[in-house]
Amino acid sequence: MTAGGVIAGIDIGGTKTAGALVSREGTVLARAERETPARLGGDAMAETAAAVVADLAAMGGPPAAVGVGAAGVVDQLTGEIRAASETFVGWAGYPLGERLTDRLGMPVRVENDVNAFLLGERAWGSADSGDALGMMLGTGVGGALLLGGSLWHGPHGAAGEIGHTPGYGDLACTCGRTGHLETLASGTSIARRYCRATDSAPLSARVVATRARAGDDVARRVFLDAGRAVALACVSAATLLDLPLAVVGGGVSSAWDLLEPGLDEVLRDQPPVSGIPLRIVPGALRSDAVVLGAAALVADLPTLPTESELVREPR
Ligand SMILES: [Zn+2]
């Protein structure tokens, strides 16, 4: 790793595009955020990402390279978005890496946002093994795989989509199928299940968590079921791939105290047959995980010394 030169990590999500200027050691030096124009097409979203980089540069100087974590299936070699949800208009097929490189005039790397999350946790967070499953519980449920120290993309760049594996009930999933892990473990599903069971008006998973902590039995049950489902998915992945670790992030993971009983129950009753204990741990980087992971994508890119470093260099 070359010393000197800050880097930038950008997280392009469905509602906001967040960015951070990051040191090569993973310290956040500055932050910026803009609304994602998700319905206005690829160019508008790339322009917003470039504007966030400019905001960061104005605060802490221009970065040497930019890493991007983006929602959707990403070709990490070219930085093209291969597939995306309906939230993003004109995103599938968009050559994000190429356009941003041209626009910014600096090296750019693009990854799927959940892959970036796991990479961030591996670089500077709680992934203390190079073989791990990453899972993000947010609006949906995303997954990522780290095998032998490297992200595993699969031949189509679509590996790790554990949120859309079946066998978890009979509710309709956002993808149109039925009974996917996401229908139990996403924030949206937690809120929806609680509302259905109690006949209450729409509310957020955060409110369900608050009620669970206040002793609401239905709310506790919904989180218990989510924890069990997450653990079952982790055990399946660990059994298949000999993984000792799963790192769980995303907004819902802030209710770890409520997920943990379900996680512990499954780990106790259904441990991997290998006898190798599986640990399921919360991500340590919280809401910074994707921007830090995006920065980690370019942390090893060599940079030329800056002018001030050349001046300071002893002759
Ligand atoms: Zn699904």
Side-chain angles (χ1 to χ4, degrees):
M1 229 179 259
T2 315
V6 294
I7 48 183
I10 305 292
D11 171 9
I12 304 180
T15 55
K16 62 175 191 183
T17 296
L21 214 54
V22 177
S23 77
R24 301 267 171 170
E25 292 75 40
T27 305
V28 172
L29 305 169
R31 290 171 207 275
E33 194 179 299
R34 290 183 180 233
E35 236 171 76
T36 302
R39 314 219 56 90
L40 298 182
D43 280 336
M45 285 184 267
E47 197 53 43
T48 299
V52 170
V53 174
D55 294 343
L56 294 169
M59 285 184 270
V66 175
V68 180
V73 178
V74 175
D75 181 333
Q76 90 283 0
L77 296 177
T78 64
E80 185 182 314
I81 310 296
R82 282 190 168 169
S85 81
E86 286 167 6
T87 317
F88 298 87
V89 175
W91 199 224
Y94 187 75
L96 179 64
E98 196 188 301
R99 296 292 162 80
L100 266 185
T101 304
D102 288 351
R103 174 71 174 70
L104 295 169
M106 59 182 72
V108 173
R109 283 184 182 167
V110 187
E111 256 295 356
N112 164 269
D113 53 357
V114 187
N115 284 353
F117 151 77
L118 183 54
L119 207 60
E121 290 293 342
R122 176 60 180 151
W124 300 304
S126 60
D128 56 6
S129 167
D131 294 276
L133 171 73
M135 210 191 285
M136 282 188 91
L137 314 178
T139 314
V141 172
L145 279 170
L146 197 64
L147 299 177
S150 303
L151 285 172
W152 176 256
H153 296 91
H156 312 100
E161 282 291 357
I162 201 157
H164 298 285
T165 49
Y168 297 89
D170 54 8
L171 283 192
C173 188
T174 52
C175 68
R177 306 267 168 82
T178 302
H180 287 176
L181 172 63
E182 186 168 299
T183 66
L184 266 167
S186 72
T188 318
S189 303
I190 286 170
R192 199 165 55 141
R193 279 176 178 268
Y194 178 81
C195 290
R196 223 171 58 139
T198 57
D199 251 338
S200 48
L203 39 72
S204 68
R206 194 177 296 271
V207 173
V208 182
T210 306
R211 292 192 183 178
R213 291 191 188 106
D216 182 327
D217 279 338
V218 177
R220 296 187 81 86
R221 256 283 306 286
V222 169
F223 273 98
L224 182 70
D225 290 346
R228 280 185 188 134
V230 165
L232 282 175
C234 291
V235 168
S236 294
T239 305
L240 191 63
L241 297 165
D242 183 18
L243 303 177
L245 179 69
V247 183
V248 181
V252 175
S253 69
S254 62
W256 199 256
D257 56 323
L258 301 170
L259 294 172
E260 214 167 19
L263 297 172
D264 288 349
E265 182 194 301
V266 169
L267 286 178
R268 187 184 60 237
D269 296 345
Q270 309 275 355
V273 287
S274 62
I276 316 251
L278 167 65
R279 288 175 298 132
I280 304 177
V281 302
L285 304 179
R286 301 286 179 157
S287 54
D288 281 335
V290 176
V291 285
L292 281 170
L297 285 170
V298 294
D300 62 345
L301 289 181
T303 53
L304 297 169
T306 62
E307 218 166 294
S308 58
E309 281 168 336
L310 282 176
V311 172
R312 266 189 253 114
E313 204 78 22
R315 314 247 159 188

